[in-house]
Amino acid sequence: MTMDALAALCDRIASAAARTRKLNLLADYLRTLDDGDLARAVRFLSGSPLPDGRKLSVGAATLRAAAASATGWDLELIRFCSRVAGDSAEIIALLMAGRSAGLPLSLSGAEQHLLALAAERSKARKQKLIEQWLLAYAPLTLKYLLKTLTGMLRIGLQAKLVEEAIARASAQPLELVRAASNRSGDLAEVALAARHQTLDRIQARLFHPLDFMLAKPLESMPDGVLDSGPWWVEDKYDGIRCQLHAAHGKVRLFTRGQEDVTASYPDLTVPLSAIHPPLILDGELLVWRDGAPQSFNALQQRLARKRLTPALLAECPVAFIAYDLLYAGQTLLLNEPLERRRALLESLPLQPPIHIAPQRRLASPQELDALFEAARARRNEGLLLKRAGSLYEAGRRGGAWIKVKRALATLDVVITAAEQGRGRRATMLSDYTFAVRDGSRFLNIGKAYSGLTDEEIRQLTRLLKSLATERFGRVVLVRPEVVLEVAFDGIQKSPRHKSGFAMRFPRILRWRKDKPPEEIDTLDRVREIYVASL
DNA sequence: TATGTCTGCCCC
DNA sequence: ATTCTGC
DNA sequence: GCAGAATGGGCAGACATA
C-alpha cells in the first residue's frame, strides 16, 4: 500500500463532514492493509508517525524554507501564500505541481524518510532532505507527508477517532480497544492486537507511561454537580503533571505528552532509586524551596535543559507532589475506587523530595470559596475536586475530577492590530493585539482570539478592515477604537509587549461596544494587579 | 565572543 | 493552557 | 458530552549577525 493512497484517503476524510462517515472511510481502509502498513498508517494518522516517539524538530518554517530553496520562489511570497491558505504544507504541495517527479511512495518508504529526518541533527541538512522529497513526490502525497511533520493533519480526525476506527475495522468493542490503548501506549500495537483478537494480552508495563486522567473545568461556581454526592478536595498545584515509575532501583518520569524526562531531574529521580517495590505515582512536578512550591516560571527554567549546572539545581530544586497511586503490589489500581488508591498511597514510605498532596472531604459546596482562597494563599492555582468512589479514568476528561480556577482579573483594552487567521479562519482577522492606556498612548499588553463566536469574528473583521491604517504582511494596524474585556490568569513582566507586561491565558470575555477607548484600563492599573499578585 | 532573532515545544 | 463548533 | 481545531505565553537552544 502506498503513501499516495493514504493521502487520497486523508483528502476524502477531510471532506466528509460527519464523523461516522470519517470513521467508516478509515475503517474500510485499515481492513485492506497488511500488518506492517496497518501499524504505519495508524501511526501516521494518530499524529505520532515515528515508532518510538522520536522528535522530528521540524516545523512549518523549515518546510517553507525548503520549498523556497526547491522552487526558487521568494520566501516572503511563500509565507504570504501559506498565510492566505492557512496551511504551509498545503500550499507547498500545490507549489510543487508540475515540478516534482511524481514518483510513487510506499508507506514504509515514507516511514524511512521520517526516520532519516529524525536522525539528522543539523537543521540545514534536515531542510535538504525535505527539498529532496519535494522534488520527488506527487503534490497530494507531499501534502500529507508534510502535514505529518507538523503533527497537524487537520482532517477532523485524530488519535481518538483512530481508536474508534480500529474497533470498527476489527469488530472489537471500543471499550476494549481504549483500555488496551491505555495499557499499551502504542496505537499501532493495539491495531495489530485488535486485528488478531489478542487485545487482552496487552499488559500495562512499568516504565511505559499510562494515559492521565484529566479534570474538567467548572464553568460556574454554584453549580448543581457538587450536590450529587461526596467529594474530596485538594489544592491544584501549578507545575507539570507527571507520572513517576519506580521499581528495583530504577526510576522513570513521564510528562502528560508521554515524554520521558527522567534525565532532566536527577535531583528528584536519583534519591528515589532506593525504592524497590514497583509503583506508579501520579502527581505534579514543582520547584520546591524552603518547604513551599515555587512559581511555574521557576520550573520552566528546568524544562528542556541540555546541560544541568549545579547553580541551576541549587536555585530551582524540584519535588514531586503525589496525589494518586496507579500501580502497586504487582497490581494496576485504575479500577480501584479513589479512597482505596489514596489509602495505599498514604501507606507507602515516601520521603522528600516526594510529598503527598493533602486531601480532605468537602463538607458542602459553600465551603469552596474559603478553600479556594486558602489554596491561593498557599500560592497554588486553585482546587481539584474528586468525586468519592470514582475510578481512575485514564485518558478521559470526565466529570469525576473537576478543576476550580478563577481569572486573576479582567481588563478593558483596545484593539491596536489584527492578524489573519489560519485554517478555516484564514479569511478572517481572528487574532487581536490589544493595549492598555498610558496617558494619551496605547501600549500593547497581549493577544487573544478565543472567547468570540465565529459570527462576532466576522463582524469584527469587517469593522477592523475599515479602521486599518497600515499593513505589514499578515498584520493590520488599526485605529484604536474597538474595546474588549479580557480575562487572564496571571500577569508578569515581559519584553514581549510595549507595556512591559504579558498575560497568562488571555481570553476575550466580551466586545464592549458600550465603552470608548479613552475609558479603558491604564498601565497603572496593570501595575497594581501585578504587585498584588506577587 | 557577545548579542539578537527565530523556532519548536519534556510545558502551562 | 482556553474556547468555540459540529456531531 | 466528546473530539477536533485554532489560538495564548514562556522558555532553552539553535542559528544569524555584529
Side-chain angles (χ1 to χ4, degrees), chain A residues 230-246:
Chain A
W231 290 77
W232 298 93
V233 206
E234 300 164 13
D235 281 11
K236 183 179 190 301
Y237 296 91
D238 191 9
I240 292 178
R241 183 78 180 276
C242 281
Q243 212 173 85
L244 197 151
H245 295 226

Side-chain angles (χ1 to χ4, degrees), chain A residues 494-514:
Chain A
S494 161
R496 193 181 193 87
H497 301 293
K498 284 256 172 62
S499 63
F501 293 93
M503 298 165 166
R504 191 180 193 195
F505 308 141
R507 62 262 191 195
I508 301 165
L509 286 189
R510 58 186 169 129
W511 178 0
R512 296 210 57 171
K513 298 180 183 179
D514 60 310

Side-chain angles (χ1 to χ4, degrees), chain A residues 18 90 105 230 325 329 354 438 448 522 531:
Chain A
E90 274 180 35
L105 179 63
L325 179 65
I354 297 190
D438 182 36
T522 61
V531 170

Side-chain angles (χ1 to χ4, degrees), chain A residues 162-183:
Chain A
V162 175
E163 278 179 6
E164 282 195 50
I166 289 170
R168 192 167 295 209
S170 60
Q172 298 286 301
L174 177 56
E175 277 316 311
L176 283 189
V177 172
R178 279 188 175 147
S181 167
N182 177 40
R183 279 176 274 140

Side-chain angles (χ1 to χ4, degrees), chain A residues 179 326 332-338 340-341 389-393:
Chain A
L326 309 186
L332 208 53
L333 303 170
L334 304 183
N335 292 323
E336 298 292 332
L338 177 62
R340 167 113 179 106
R341 305 198 308 272
S390 58
L391 310 184
Y392 192 92
E393 299 175 76

